[in-house]
Amino acid sequence: MFISNAFAQAPAATAADGGSSLMSMLPLVLMFVVLYFIMIRPQQKRAKEHKAMIDAIGKGDEIVTSGGLLGKVTKIGDNYLSIEIANGVEAQCQRGSVIQVLPKGTIK
């Protein structure tokens, strides 16, 4: 009385249609393409720019670390930098922790 009868439909003829499997994969492929251009590609570009910036650091450059320290580079090693954060005060940090190279004369 309250429940109506449900009638089953005959399945569509998919065996004869070879393009339907391609059409069912199309949204997945489009989602991956959009994901690549919106998320993956810009992140790779930023990583490449950061690596180029770290490789270009030289003695006397003024930098900012991820911990917020500002200083002038005094010594350069393969993996570590020695930065002068105040007169006579030096600290060592990893090269990867540098987030920005400041223009010369910023730190006084």
Side-chain angles (χ1 to χ4, degrees):
M1 185 152 116
F2 292 110
I3 301 173
S4 63
N5 294 336
F7 298 102
Q9 278 186 307
T14 58
D17 189 18
S20 70
S21 64
L22 178 65
M23 291 303 286
S24 66
M25 292 295 288
L26 186 63
L28 183 64
V29 171
L30 287 175
M31 285 174 34
F32 180 74
V33 169
V34 168
L35 180 75
Y36 176 77
F37 282 107
I38 290 178
M39 292 180 68
I40 298 171
R41 193 166 174 232
Q43 186 176 4
Q44 287 176 341
K45 184 179 177 184
R46 278 193 303 269
K48 184 188 258 186
E49 290 172 353
H50 186 256
K51 182 172 175 14
M53 177 193 65
I54 288 174
D55 290 340
I57 291 175
K59 191 174 180 180
D61 286 345
E62 296 174 355
I63 61 169
V64 178
T65 66
S66 59
L69 292 176
L70 289 108
K72 187 179 286 192
V73 177
T74 56
K75 296 177 191 168
I76 300 174
D78 291 337
N79 295 325
Y80 295 96
L81 299 172
S82 197
I83 58 173
E84 183 179 17
I85 55 177
N87 289 336
V89 179
E90 287 194 14
Q92 285 191 339
C93 69
Q94 292 180 338
R95 288 190 107 151
S97 69
V98 176
I99 58 170
Q100 187 177 10
V101 177
L102 299 172
K104 298 224 184 228
T106 303
I107 302 172
K108 296 181 181 185

